[in-house]
Amino acid sequence: PEARNPFDGPGNYPSVVFLHQQRLGFAASDNQPLTVWMSQAGNFESMAASVPPSDDDALEATLAATQANRILWCQSDRNGLALGTEGSEWILTGTDGGAVTPSNLSFQPQTFYGSQPYLPVLRTGHGLVFLQRGGRVLREYGYSFSADRYESGDLSLLARHILRENPVVSWAWQAEPYSIIWCVLADGTLAGLTYMREHDVVGWHRHSTPGGVIEEVSVIPG
C-alpha cells in the first residue's frame, strides 16, 4: 500500500468525522462535498491504499446523486453507514450486505427530506434523530422491517404550533432520569420532547424563562 493524504491543504479539509466498522472516517470537504474517506481497517492513522485494492485498504467513495447536496452527518447503524445530506438520506453498505471495502460498497437512497446544517444528528437510545432542513421538523431515522428500508418518521407532527415560527437552533438528548430531547428555539424559549420509542411515547412540552432567554443547551452525566 502507498501512503497518501487526501487532506493536504485548504479546501480539502473534511467537515464530518465518524467511526464505522473499525475504520476512522471523514466526509465532505469544500472541494469534495459528496465524498467519504475511510482509513485502513484497524489502523486509524493510515489512509494508504494499493492497486489492485485489498479489503483492508483505505477507501474513497463519492456519492452520485441527482443533486449536489453536501454530506452533513454520518453515523454507523446496523450493517451500514447512515448519511444525511442537505436534501436526502442514504445508507452506505457492502454490495453483498457485508463489510464496506474499497471494491465492495454501494450508496442506497432512503428518504428525501434533507438535514439542517450546523446541527448534529442525535443518537438516542433507539436510533437516530435529525433536524429537517428549515429547523422546524424532527425526524426519526431508522430501519423499518415492513418497508425493508430506512424511514424518516415525523416526530413533530403534533407540535406544529410550537415549531412553526421558531426553528430549533440548539439541541441535546438527555437519557436519564427521563428520555428527553431538549430543543432551544429561535425566540430563546425551550421545548422538550419526551421520547420513549419502546413505549410509543412522543410528547412535547414548552418551558419559558421570564426575564431571560436560552441560547444553547447541553447534557452531562447524571
Side-chain angles (χ1 to χ4, degrees):
E2 295 184 2
R4 63 192 182 99
N5 177 20
F7 319 121
D8 58 355
N12 296 322
Y13 305 137
S15 59
V16 178
V17 182
F18 60 92
L19 290 168
H20 180 63
Q21 294 179 348
Q22 298 301 309
R23 297 176 184 265
L24 177 61
F26 307 90
S29 66
D30 286 344
N31 292 336
Q32 296 176 274
L34 297 177
T35 300
V36 173
W37 299 268
M38 293 190 197
S39 71
Q40 288 185 325
N43 188 3
F44 295 164
E45 296 183 359
S46 175
M47 300 297 293
S50 54
V51 179
S54 300
D55 286 349
D56 61 348
D57 277 350
L59 63 90
E60 176 179 328
T62 299
L63 174 63
T66 56
Q67 295 181 333
N69 292 310
R70 185 185 188 93
I71 296 174
L72 298 176
W73 55 264
C74 299
Q75 286 284 345
S76 185
D77 192 64
R78 299 184 81 245
N79 295 327
L81 178 70
L83 301 96
T85 75
E86 294 173 332
S88 54
E89 293 73 48
W90 297 70
I91 291 292
L92 172 61
T93 63
T95 53
D96 57 359
V100 174
T101 69
S103 58
N104 181 42
L105 53 85
S106 172
F107 287 102
Q108 302 172 24
Q110 304 296 309
T111 56
F112 300 89
Y113 294 104
S115 297
Q116 177 73 353
Y118 312 119
L119 279 180
V121 62
L122 297 182
R123 177 175 289 281
T124 67
H126 293 275
L128 304 175
V129 176
F130 69 92
L131 191 64
Q132 183 176 320
R133 190 169 186 176
R136 294 177 174 85
V137 178
L138 274 68
R139 293 198 173 273
E140 175 186 45
Y141 191 56
Y143 184 77
S144 170
F145 286 95
S146 59
D148 192 25
R149 62 180 295 167
Y150 279 74
E151 295 187 338
S152 301
D154 188 349
L155 295 176
S156 49
L157 181 63
L158 302 179
R160 292 290 189 257
H161 59 293
I162 297 178
L163 303 178
R164 184 182 297 114
E165 303 298 332
N166 292 298
V168 177
V169 296
S170 175
W171 67 349
W173 174 61
Q174 171 191 334
E176 290 288 343
Y178 309 105
S179 180
I180 300 175
I181 298 175
W182 294 105
C183 302
V184 177
L185 307 184
D187 65 351
T189 61
L190 183 68
L193 169 61
T194 300
Y195 175 66
M196 302 172 67
R197 176 51 63 196
E198 69 272 26
H199 300 298
D200 290 329
V201 173
V202 179
W204 284 87
H205 34 93
R206 288 188 285 190
H207 306 265
S208 60
T209 55
V213 298
I214 299 173
E215 297 181 349
E216 195 170 354
V217 66
S218 186
V219 173
I220 60 175

